[in-house]
Amino acid sequence: KASFCDIIAQRYEDPNCPVDWSRCGKFTFFCVAYVGSFQHLLFNKLYPRLFPGTGALQAAKCALFDNFVHSPCLYLPTYYTYRSFTSHGSLTDGLTQYRKEGFDVLKACWGIWVPSQFINFYLVPPNFRILFIAGMGSVWEIVLSYMAPMKHTGPLTDPHTPEGFEEDDSERTVRR
């Protein structure tokens, strides 16, 4: 699924470029390792212990904790450090990139996941939750792959353009 989502993001970026299979592989590995494995434990083992019960209050607690604690403090920093490390950067470079561009990605994450997780935890029957989350996860993976692609080229570069950053009088700005 993640491979397909990355290919969609690559095609959206530039329909005429060939698929970057290295980028696709890196993105897919991250999604399998973190989203497919670690988050399974998080959602199915940890959250039920942290937030026992059912109902709207429990659903809101799970959704808010995941979006305002887990995503900004663990999920996205892990993604950015993995992206940097797999592109010959350092873990520090990855965290620097996260500080520079992560809030925009985090806002997109919240726009998709806060309502989706509330719906999932509150309205979706347990036997359909994985299916629902998989569908919403596909949407998110396309957005993440587009906004923060796995073609990071080093510290303080914009992964969407080969030229990266350009000096703008007194500060670094990203060309889009």
Side-chain angles (χ1 to χ4, degrees), residues 6 9-15 17-28 79-80 82-89 97 101 144-165 175-176:
D6 183 63
Q10 288 187 46
R11 289 288 176 237
Y12 183 76
E13 285 176 34
D14 187 349
C17 277
V19 172
D20 179 345
W21 292 107
S22 174
R23 166 185 161 167
C24 193
K26 292 173 190 178
F27 188 77
T28 300
Y79 178 83
Y80 275 87
Y82 169 80
R83 183 180 81 168
S84 177
F85 184 74
T86 60
S87 299
H88 309 292
Q97 293 270 321
E101 67 185 53
L144 178 62
S145 180
Y146 176 74
M147 292 184 77
M150 285 285 176
K151 60 180 186 177
H152 170 71
T153 57
L156 299 178
T157 61
D158 177 5
H160 291 290
T161 61
E163 296 83 19
F165 284 78
R175 257 189 310 214
R176 294 267 183 200

Side-chain angles (χ1 to χ4, degrees), residues 53-71:
T54 59
L57 182 59
Q58 184 269 350
K61 287 178 184 179
C62 286
L64 293 173
F65 182 85
D66 193 66
N67 282 282
F68 296 100
V69 177
H70 168 246
S71 290

